[in-house]
Amino acid sequence: ENLKTLKNNNRLERKAKIALDDFSAVLANFESGINNLILITNERGSKDKGIVSHWLKLSRNMLDATASNADIRNKLNQISLLESEYLLNRDVKILQDISVLAEEIRNSLTPEDEGIAVNDIDSYIVYTGNLASIEKRMGHNDVQGIIPELEASINQLTVAFAALNARIVVLVKNNILFWDIVRWLVTLIMVSLFVTAFIKFFALIDPLKKVADYTARLSKGEFPDDKLKAGNHADMKVVIDSLQKHVGSLKDKLNFTRALNQDNFDQTLTVSGEKDELGNDLIMLQQKILENNKKQARNEEDNMVRRYMNEGLAKFADILRTKNSGINMLGDAFIREIVKYLNALQGGLFIHEESDTQEPVLKLISTFAYNRKKYLQQTIKIGEGLIGSCAKEKHYMNLTEIPDGYITITSGLGDTPPKNLLLVPVLHENEILGVVEIASLNKFRNHEIDFAQEVAYSLGSTLVTTRNNLRTTELLEKSQKQALEMAEQEEEMRQNMEELKATQEESARREEELRGIAEALDRTLMVIEYTIEGRIHNVNENVCRFLGREQNELIGKSHHEIFGGSLDTDVAFWNELQQNGHLTISETIKIGKKSFEISEHFARVTNRNNATVKFINFASNGRIGNS
């Protein structure tokens, strides 16, 4: 609105209007850049909203899902680390690495993998590409994009404002000269009138000469210090008083303008009246310069805070990436660097331990004070004291009034209580992992507190990753140990298998021999098999040939029913055979009209448990082998 007013001012020269148009165009370009930055920042979002929120949520869902493929789990852990690094550095190359890993996971998914949905990994890849596109459009780490264009607009705005300011200063000086000339002409006219009057009134001749000399010097740019005397003429007194007041007013404006040129904005100017346009314009110019200086100071402060945050986050991202081989090493490096970066003097890191699930505690694992590590052992229950309360509430505490005796900062000059105590919870997915305690003799500023919370959040992610890596290492060592034991067992089993193979070969050889013996007996003797009840179960061909009967006629009958000899195979006989294990008997049997003397050897057949499964009879007579 003020720019429009200046543009419509007919008294501005053409060059001043050109400078004003240039400044207006640059300002409009800067405003457009700011609007574009706000729109694309809202589109990108943060951990709680926008694309980044959906992106991180998909990553957590996939990481929490159970996958049978160990390679996929490792790549998901790598993606989690790269996400934290990206949120700290805003580097497009990190997003490209994440996209490559996600594509590899997508290509390696099989129907046997459980937990990870294909839609989730596809959406995650799309969100990663959107973020990369947004970062390129914003141009964080590039020479092109909204942010570089905005920085260029700021530089152009500064140059255009300087040009406009210089032109306005010139116009102010010209305006002063113009009004001097006008006032000089008015004065000259008045002097002429006074001369005429002086001719009529000789008493005005001398004062008019002095006024003429005074105005002549005034027209040359000089501000005379002479005191004019008007004599006894009343009108002359009014003219001289007005002239000297005007010269005094011009001197005040000149001093005021010089003070502005020397960046002295404490100078005050009293206007000559309500219609003193030059005085009012000079005061408005001073106010605008002051407003611009305040805006510039705010911008410099914002840039300083932004630079402080970005440099600190990058530094701690490197620390968390290179010092994560162990919890203690990570804690020592983190607490040492954050105390130094916050310009504090003392700090400690408490880690949440759940060894006692009934009453978890916070254990002090790392401290730092005056470049010396204090090897202390201290545990605090959840909800106990300031540190326990911070862990329980999961919210930072900034104390400027420290309880007496709570903590002191020790130096060569003695013990000094700190002026400010900052307690920041270390969280991961709203789960308490620890508390960072930092004491300082100076009060922490808001951006320092924000920075401490941001790096504490990054520490939480790194702690989870480090713990997982340590567990993985332990499991790997255990797996290697088990593999070694299994190899030893495999060697022992191999030896046993070789011995078993040798035993089997010996058994096969003996079985072959026994088979040969059985076949020889079967060809030579009559072989009769009985059930444990004494019934014939099987007979060989020699028995059928000797008796002249078919095999099916003999099966199921008793020994006496077949042979009809002198042997009575009653229950007592089989019980005796069961007890003795074998019996040798000779009996006379009659086949047709012929009688035969046969020799029989009865034996019981047992299983591996020494239980009788059947009986067998090897019988012979003079006809066997000759018939």
Side-chain angles (χ1 to χ4, degrees), residues 427-475:
L427 301 173
H428 180 71
E429 296 181 353
N430 204 33
E431 178 184 356
I432 187 69
L433 299 179
V435 174
V436 177
E437 180 185 49
I438 304 172
S440 175
L441 294 177
N442 303 316
K443 290 187 176 181
F444 293 111
R445 291 175 289 180
N446 291 334
H447 69 274
E448 292 176 332
I449 297 175
D450 294 338
F451 174 77
Q453 294 184 85
E454 191 70 25
V455 296
Y457 179 82
S458 300
L459 174 63
S461 300
T462 306
L463 280 175
V464 171
T465 303
T466 301
R467 284 181 174 176
N468 292 336
N469 291 339
L470 291 176
R471 293 193 187 103
T472 302
T473 302
E474 292 175 357
L475 291 175

Side-chain angles (χ1 to χ4, degrees), residues 191-238:
V191 169
S192 300
L193 294 174
F194 277 110
V195 169
T196 302
F198 182 78
I199 296 174
K200 296 181 179 179
F201 304 97
F202 292 100
L204 296 177
I205 293 177
D206 186 61
L208 284 175
K209 288 183 179 181
K210 293 181 179 180
V211 170
D213 179 65
Y214 193 91
T215 56
R217 293 161 60 188
L218 184 63
S219 64
K220 296 177 181 180
E222 180 183 356
F223 293 139
D225 294 329
D226 301 346
K227 297 293 183 181
L228 298 176
K229 296 181 180 179
N232 296 325
H233 200 282
D235 292 334
M236 182 59 71
K237 288 182 179 180
V238 174

